[in-house]
């Protein structure tokens, strides 16, 4: 098998041919995929949220389903439904849109809370339960959800329990002028997704996921993660700190980042690089912090400066 970086570099190159100038965003999306997590993309319209999700899915030869979340979307549209077959005189399960390797949930905050909650079991346990029967989902399985944080009319903000299921949240941001100029040349005549060919298969991703699981995390690095997460629960600017699931997601993401760099051990720098996208969306600032315009991202960045790192944790594990 090729080195992990060789495979992910090919995927990264293909995706960035469609989403130019967003190398860090693409890298984080790959990190979440290999860490067996889910990704929330939050930004204003027109910056390429859906394009990123579609490009990542097309660069990997796997099944992809897109769900356009609307107020009238039903939970059964997502998970599936059991119907009665009069010819066979028995009930048959019809899988919903969630049965795919990569599920793109477009504008997830436009669906009702009941429909949003249909994703909780899918994302947390990687299975769907309908009428008392559980159906396992595909491997790999990843939900990429998008939402617009500006236009809130007619939307249902994601509750804390739902946001906590997402391993990381990213914002696309506006492209640089040079990248936007190239986009005008390349996207005006044809859709670049039409020419995007897969450079990896599901078997490659499964092997990479297995590699990520074997990456070593020292006790000192684990302790640093716990110290960082615990610190969020005692900050005066926060009404809600990070959950134990946040610590688990941070370790998994750090493992994936190390594997992407062909390392079999995690460094404290891996944790620091991922702390903001993994932790910030789970935190709820106080009213005073909002007035002072202290964002969760700023609070996590301050904690990274305050929480000490044991120097021994940077050492490579002994053979």
């Amino acid at each position: 098998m090729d080195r992990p970086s060789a495979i992910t570099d090919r995927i990264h190159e293909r995706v960035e041919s469609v989403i130019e100038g967003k190398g860090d965003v693409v890298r984080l999306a790959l990190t979440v995929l290999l860490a067996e997590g889910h990704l929330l993309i939050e930004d204003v319209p027109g910056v390429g949220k859906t394009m990123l999700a579609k490009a990542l899915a097309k660069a990997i030869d796997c099944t992809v389903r897109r769900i356009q979340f609307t107020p009238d979307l039903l939970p059964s549209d997502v998970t599936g439904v059991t119907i009665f077959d009069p010819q066979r005189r028995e009930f048959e399960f019809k899988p919903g849109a969630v049965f795919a390797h990569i599920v793109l949930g477009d504008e997830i905050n436009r669906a009702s809370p009941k429909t949003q909650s249909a994703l909780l079991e899918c994302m947390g346990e990687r299975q769907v339960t309908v009428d008392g029967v559980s159906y396992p989902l595909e491997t790999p399985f990843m939900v990429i959800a998008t939402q617009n944080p500006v236009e809130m009319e007619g939307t249902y903000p994601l509750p804390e329990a739902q946001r906590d299921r997402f391993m990381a949240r990213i914002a696309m941001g506006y492209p640089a002028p040079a990248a936007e100029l190239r986009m005008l040349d390349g996207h005006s005549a044809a859709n670049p997704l039409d020419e995007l060919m897969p450079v990896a298969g599901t078997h490659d991703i499964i092997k990479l996921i297995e590699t990520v699981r074997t990456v070593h995390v020292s006790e000192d690095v684990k302790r640093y993660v716990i110290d960082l997460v615990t610190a969020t629960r005692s900050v005066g600017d926060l009404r809600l700190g990070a959950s134990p699931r946040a610590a688990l997601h941070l370790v998994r993401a750090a493992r994936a980042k190390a594997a992407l760099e062909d390392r079999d051990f995690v460094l404290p720098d891996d944790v620091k690089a991922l702390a903001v996208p993994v932790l910030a969306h789970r935190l709820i600032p106080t009213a005073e912090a909002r007035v002072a315009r202290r964002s969760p991202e700023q609070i996590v960045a301050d904690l990274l400066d305050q929480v000490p790192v044991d120097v021994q944790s940077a050492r490579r594990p002994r053979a």
Side-chain angles (χ1 to χ4, degrees):
M1 177 183 172
D2 292 339
R3 291 180 295 107
S5 63
I7 300 173
T8 55
D9 285 349
R10 291 200 299 267
I11 300 174
H12 185 281
E13 183 181 354
R14 284 299 169 90
V15 176
E16 205 172 4
S17 68
V18 176
I19 306 291
E20 293 190 41
K22 297 296 177 183
D24 292 342
V25 173
V26 176
R27 182 66 62 179
L28 181 58
L30 284 170
T31 300
V32 173
L33 173 63
L34 299 188
E36 301 177 87
H38 308 287
L39 184 64
L40 179 62
I41 308 176
E42 189 177 271
D43 215 321
V44 297
V47 293
K49 300 187 298 294
T50 305
M51 184 74 78
L52 170 64
K54 287 183 175 180
L56 179 61
K58 288 204 70 173
I60 304 168
D61 189 14
C62 63
T63 56
V64 184
R65 297 290 294 274
R66 179 178 180 272
I67 308 174
Q68 180 64 54
F69 281 80
T70 56
D72 60 347
L73 188 73
L74 299 175
S76 58
D77 296 328
V78 176
T79 59
V81 65
T82 301
I83 62 174
F84 183 73
D85 187 340
Q87 294 183 342
R88 299 168 59 186
R89 300 187 63 81
E90 62 182 26
F91 286 94
E92 181 182 2
F93 177 65
K94 295 293 185 182
V98 79
F99 283 84
H101 291 114
I102 295 181
V103 178
L104 169 59
D106 225 350
E107 296 187 285
I108 189 173
N109 56 336
R110 293 205 172 275
S112 67
K114 184 177 182 179
T115 301
Q116 289 178 7
S117 66
L119 282 173
L120 288 176
E121 182 186 16
C122 307
M123 296 170 65
E125 303 175 37
R126 297 175 184 270
Q127 67 177 24
V128 169
T129 302
V130 177
D131 294 334
V133 181
S134 297
Y135 303 91
L137 294 171
E138 303 270 7
T139 301
F141 173 70
M142 180 184 186
V143 173
I144 302 177
T146 70
Q147 67 174 0
N148 173 12
V150 177
E151 186 186 352
M152 301 304 294
E153 183 178 352
T155 65
Y156 304 87
L158 293 178
E160 289 76 15
Q162 186 79 21
R163 291 204 307 269
D164 200 42
R165 291 299 199 281
F166 288 98
M167 177 172 285
R169 178 186 65 181
I170 59 175
M172 298 290 294
Y174 290 109
E180 199 164 3
L181 182 60
R182 289 193 297 270
M183 181 193 71
L184 293 179
D185 293 333
H187 293 221
S188 57
N191 187 348
L193 283 174
D194 296 338
E195 300 177 359
L196 189 64
M197 301 299 294
V199 292
T202 54
H203 61 283
D204 296 314
I205 302 302
I206 291 173
K207 288 180 180 178
L208 288 174
I209 289 173
E210 292 172 351
T211 300
V212 168
R213 291 173 180 170
T214 65
V215 172
H216 175 76
V217 184
S218 71
E219 291 300 318
D220 289 331
V221 170
K222 292 177 184 176
R223 192 174 299 110
Y224 175 56
V225 170
I226 295 302
D227 290 344
L228 194 59
V229 170
T230 303
T232 66
R233 301 167 189 165
S234 57
V235 175
D237 286 335
L238 292 178
R239 197 158 49 86
L240 178 68
S243 67
R245 183 186 287 118
L248 180 61
H249 282 180
L250 186 53
V251 169
R252 287 180 177 173
R255 276 191 167 121
K257 183 177 183 299
L260 286 172
E261 297 174 7
D262 294 326
R263 278 187 282 111
D264 59 0
F265 61 97
V266 173
L267 294 171
D269 287 345
D270 297 325
V271 176
K272 288 185 174 184
L274 293 164
V276 171
V278 172
L279 298 181
H281 66 287
R282 309 168 195 265
L283 310 179
I284 300 181
T286 61
E288 294 78 10
R290 292 179 187 274
V291 171
R293 296 188 177 182
R294 287 266 294 161
S295 68
E297 289 80 5
Q298 291 174 324
I299 295 171
V300 174
D302 290 343
L303 289 176
L304 289 174
D305 293 333
Q306 297 169 10
V307 177
V309 182
D310 191 322
V311 293
Q312 298 295 322
S313 62
R315 291 182 179 177
R316 183 185 179 91
R318 295 177 181 176

